[in-house]
Amino acid sequence: MPSSPTAVINATGNSRKPAGVLQSSLVWLTLGAVVGALVVAAGSSSFSLQGRSQLPWLSQPLLSRKAEQPSELAAPGACPPPAPCPKPPKQAHALTLPELRDRMPWQALLTDEEVQRAEAYYGTGRRIRKVAAKLLAGEPIQVYTLGGSVTRGLGASKPEFNYANRLFALINATFPHPKHVFANKGIGGTSSGIFTACVEALVPPEADLAIVEFTYNEPDNEPFDSPPRRGFEELLRKLLKLKNGPAVILLHHYSWWFTYGDGVDRGLYYRMGEAQLGLFSNYYDMPQVSMRNVLWPLMAAGVKGFKPEKVNNGGLGHTSPLDIPIPGAQPGEEEDYYYHDRTHPSDRGHKMMAEAVAGPLLRAAADEAAEQAGLVEPSRRHDKRLEGLPPPMIPGNEESPTTLCAMQEDFKFMVTAKSGFTWRPERPNAPTFVEQKARATWGWTGLQPGQWAELVLDTRADGKSIKADKDGKKVKANIWLSYLRSYEHMGVARVECRSGCKCEPTKIDGTWKDQVSLQQIHMFRVSQHPKCVVRVTITDEQGVAKSDGHKMSLTAVMVTQFPIRLTVYAQQFEDVAANAVGSSGKGGDDDGGTR
């Protein structure tokens, strides 16, 4: 007579009862052999991480692919027609999502149901199940996170505590392998714009999984035919078209204090930006994780550990975008609150984000394991017309190539002549290590009128020949110059082509009234030339806002061959923040901006 199964108590204090399939002694023996004790913390670094194998046996397949067939059934001709061969017996047990979550390297903060609630869309899971299949087979994977300052790690007390590195640790603890590649490409204060232009330089063709998090840095409510929405779709298409066909998870951060309107000054549930970006998830059949879905009910109910009324920043407090004071949590009550400041999650919040974004991957592993074990046989439609990437959701929005993308250390060598400009970081002495890493943007900076810097760029389409349109007319290239814009100390500069190429003189205004400092993009069109010399000169002109200085800081440059419709895109994209991350892991926004 089988013994009664013992209830499993999970980390949230809830009683977890085994599923019905676990009710027999045979299954309990199988489960004991498969699951074991697994609570392994994976090592992590700020921006890239190699996996470490803590349990060598997990480098092998976690379970057999199919139930063993009896020899008499496997022999040819054993089932003469018309009698069909019986199906092989199914395995009694495969991995489940709760079991996989029990292997996390920390005690879970979200329940299984809350992780499911965060899963705003899963779809067929075809791409992410390919990633799960590699993990189940004991193979290494490559994971990349793209996003703003939340992805970069602001709010976390240490680099290893941000959600990206927590996610990497979770994957490596659940499926250890010494050759896993994890890289955090988050850039503080950015929208998807710079990633659209430079994704090929940031994410290699061998990537298996990419996490995309930009919801609060994208314009909140835009027509789908607008430049920001077109650019976001281009980013997704470029990722999906990478050689390895990676899975993409769309992640929505939730900021209680930045979500307001319709008479509510905080904690509004709906935000059009998330709703609009979510449609791309539906269209391209990619998983989507919404922190709002899981956090808002808990925050609104005042559940401990999720409260938004105070922030965990050493008691300093903060101010909301509507100038509402936000008190700082006092010693002993830090664990009651979710946020580090008005925007970014604390260590606790980053951990919850990692749990939520791991949900679709662990679900895919459970689904894949069940099918490999013969427990399920989902029906699928096979039609060549449905294969491959669909056409752009936004009509005519084909992605465009980028011929040059120089950021951080690479950008240093783009300046070949200068007078007064120096290579230096912005705000390297931030109060915490994480903020130094997230905010220290390196660039060429001048401080006085008359100082100048010259860049030499190859503006040809392929670096070899001059591109022409169908009528034989030479096509102009677009130069995207990234610069710092802030509310103090900034100035104005003139941009002109000095030799090689030709262009109309333009102006960069580094001033504005907004109480944020963000990297912006200045776009201008030039003729194609192998040595296009562009000079940026600081002037004594007054910008759109009064300023007590003339500083001009240049941080990156891109050369693109976008079609004419994206010329308008680039001009309207003037106010979309962009920044860079180099191989050393430096980069970020100046003072965090809105992210």
Side-chain angles (χ1 to χ4, degrees):
M1 178 177 179
S3 59
S4 300
T6 304
V8 179
I9 305 298
N10 65 15
T12 59
N14 298 320
S15 176
R16 174 176 289 162
K17 295 182 179 179
V21 73
L22 306 180
Q23 301 299 316
S24 69
S25 299
L26 172 62
V27 174
W28 277 99
L29 289 173
T30 305
L31 178 60
V34 173
V35 179
L38 179 58
V39 182
V40 183
S44 62
S45 64
S46 182
F47 300 105
S48 64
L49 176 69
Q50 295 294 325
R52 299 175 177 84
S53 180
Q54 282 86 0
L55 296 178
W57 61 268
L58 262 180
S59 295
Q60 302 301 318
L62 288 178
L63 45 81
S64 61
R65 291 296 164 262
K66 289 287 183 180
E68 293 282 344
Q69 293 190 18
S71 57
E72 63 271 17
L73 295 184
C79 305
C85 288
K87 292 183 179 180
K90 295 181 178 180
Q91 284 189 348
H93 174 254
L95 294 172
T96 66
L97 178 61
E99 291 166 15
L100 288 168
R101 293 197 70 236
D102 283 342
R103 298 178 174 184
M104 291 192 302
W106 62 80
Q107 286 192 334
L109 298 179
L110 299 177
T111 66
D112 297 341
E113 285 186 343
E114 287 163 350
V115 170
Q116 290 174 331
R117 179 161 187 167
E119 193 177 276
Y121 180 80
Y122 182 78
T124 65
R126 288 181 181 175
R127 288 194 181 223
I128 200 164
R129 282 187 60 169
K130 285 172 52 183
V131 183
K134 291 183 68 173
L135 292 172
L136 290 168
E139 299 177 17
I141 63 171
Q142 295 190 25
V143 184
Y144 295 82
T145 50
L146 287 65
S149 57
V150 171
T151 296
R152 185 71 166 180
L154 260 68
S157 60
K158 296 180 181 179
E160 57 265 34
F161 292 162
N162 66 49
Y163 90 80
N165 284 326
R166 287 286 195 185
L167 172 66
F168 302 156
L170 188 156
I171 294 173
N172 202 45
T174 312
F175 303 99
H177 199 288
K179 294 186 178 181
H180 283 323
V181 175
F182 303 123
N184 184 355
K185 298 294 184 177
I187 303 172
T190 63
S191 72
S192 61
I194 197 168
F195 291 89
T196 301
C198 296
V199 66
E200 295 93 343
L202 295 170
V203 181
E206 299 79 15
D208 293 290
L209 174 62
I211 314 297
V212 177
E213 178 270 319
F214 289 108
T215 303
Y216 275 80
N217 280 20
E218 294 294 303
D220 184 41
N221 191 3
E222 289 281 321
F224 278 99
D225 195 40
S226 68
R229 294 294 182 260
R230 283 181 172 272
F232 189 81
E233 183 180 27
E234 285 193 36
L235 169 62
L236 297 180
R237 291 183 65 82
K238 285 186 175 184
L239 287 171
L240 293 169
K241 279 190 171 183
L242 289 176
K243 180 180 179 181
N244 204 32
V248 177
I249 295 178
L250 191 58
L251 172 61
H252 302 293
H253 165 60
Y254 179 66
S255 178
W256 175 273
W257 291 97
F258 261 94
T259 311
Y260 54 84
D262 291 345
V264 176
D265 60 11
R266 74 198 77 174
L268 189 66
Y269 183 80
Y270 50 88
R271 180 178 171 87
M272 287 306 299
E274 177 170 335
Q276 291 181 348
L277 298 183
L279 284 182
F280 292 113
S281 167
N282 303 144
Y283 183 80
Y284 288 106
D285 191 29
M286 61 178 65
Q288 175 185 179
V289 172
S290 170
M291 294 308 299
R292 177 205 62 194
N293 285 8
V294 62
L295 292 177
W296 190 92
L298 298 164
M299 290 180 172
V303 176
K304 284 188 176 182
F306 301 89
K307 293 181 179 180
E309 293 86 4
K310 296 183 181 180
V311 292
N312 289 318
N313 59 2
L316 297 177
H318 210 168
T319 304
S320 81
L322 300 181
D323 294 327
I324 301 171
I326 308 173
Q330 298 305 305
E333 62 178 8
E334 295 93 346
E335 292 300 303
D336 291 349
Y337 299 94
Y338 180 86
Y339 293 104
H340 167 75
D341 54 32
R342 66 184 184 182
T343 306
H344 305 95
S346 63
D347 286 345
R348 182 180 178 86
H350 275 281
K351 191 181 289 187
M352 293 181 199
M353 290 187 70
E355 292 183 28
V357 78
L361 179 60
L362 297 183
R363 173 180 172 179
D367 290 348
E368 184 69 15
E371 185 170 352
Q372 291 177 1
L375 296 177
V376 295
E377 295 182 8
S379 62
R380 295 184 175 92
R381 184 180 301 280
H382 298 282
D383 190 320
K384 290 185 177 181
R385 294 169 295 183
L386 300 176
E387 295 176 0
L389 199 65
M393 187 184 86
I394 302 172
N397 195 37
E398 295 288 349
E399 59 279 5
S400 305
T402 300
T403 56
L404 172 68
C405 180
M407 304 175 289
Q408 293 293 345
E409 287 81 0
D410 291 338
F411 180 63
K412 179 180 180 180
F413 303 103
M414 293 293 102
V415 173
T416 58
K418 61 187 183 300
S419 175
F421 271 70
T422 58
W423 179 252
R424 51 173 260 187
E426 286 293 326
R427 201 180 175 196
N429 300 316
T432 69
F433 174 77
V434 173
E435 289 176 300
Q436 291 170 18
K437 286 290 186 181
R439 296 177 176 178
T441 304
W442 285 77
W444 285 102
T445 300
L447 300 175
Q448 300 296 331
Q451 295 179 346
W452 54 267
E454 284 186 352
L455 298 84
V456 178
L457 309 170
D458 188 343
T459 57
R460 295 174 296 178
D462 56 5
K464 298 178 182 179
S465 58
I466 305 298
K467 183 179 179 181
D469 61 19
K470 62 181 181 179
D471 298 324
K473 184 178 179 181
K474 294 178 181 179
V475 177
K476 287 190 175 182
N478 297 325
I479 295 179
W480 303 43
L481 190 58
S482 179
Y483 66 99
L484 177 66
R485 198 169 189 184
S486 186
Y487 55 94
E488 57 182 0
H489 311 316
M490 305 307 294
V492 177
R494 181 177 67 254
V495 181
E496 57 188 336
C497 294
R498 297 284 292 181
S499 64
C501 57
K502 296 181 180 180
C503 65
E504 294 291 330
T506 56
K507 182 174 67 175
I508 296 177
D509 188 347
T511 72
W512 61 10
K513 296 180 181 179
D514 297 334
Q515 297 292 303
V516 293
S517 300
L518 292 172
Q519 301 300 320
Q520 301 290 287
I521 289 180
H522 174 72
M523 196 285 292
F524 55 102
R525 306 192 70 202
V526 303
S527 60
Q528 296 183 59
H529 197 276
K531 291 185 178 180
C532 175
V533 179
V534 176
R535 175 177 286 192
V536 179
T537 305
I538 299 177
T539 70
D540 58 1
E541 296 178 61
Q542 180 68 45
V544 294
K546 291 184 179 180
S547 176
D548 57 356
H550 297 278
K551 184 171 78 171
M552 180 59 54
S553 182
L554 310 175
T555 57
V557 66
M558 290 81 75
V559 177
T560 67
Q561 307 295 329
F562 291 143
I564 295 299
R565 65 168 178 80
L566 285 181
T567 299
V568 177
Y569 169 19
Q571 290 170 350
Q572 293 183 354
F573 195 51
E574 189 87 16
D575 292 332
V576 177
N579 201 348
V581 59
S583 58
S584 68
K586 297 175 182 176
D589 57 7
D590 182 33
D591 69 359
T594 61
R595 291 295 311 279

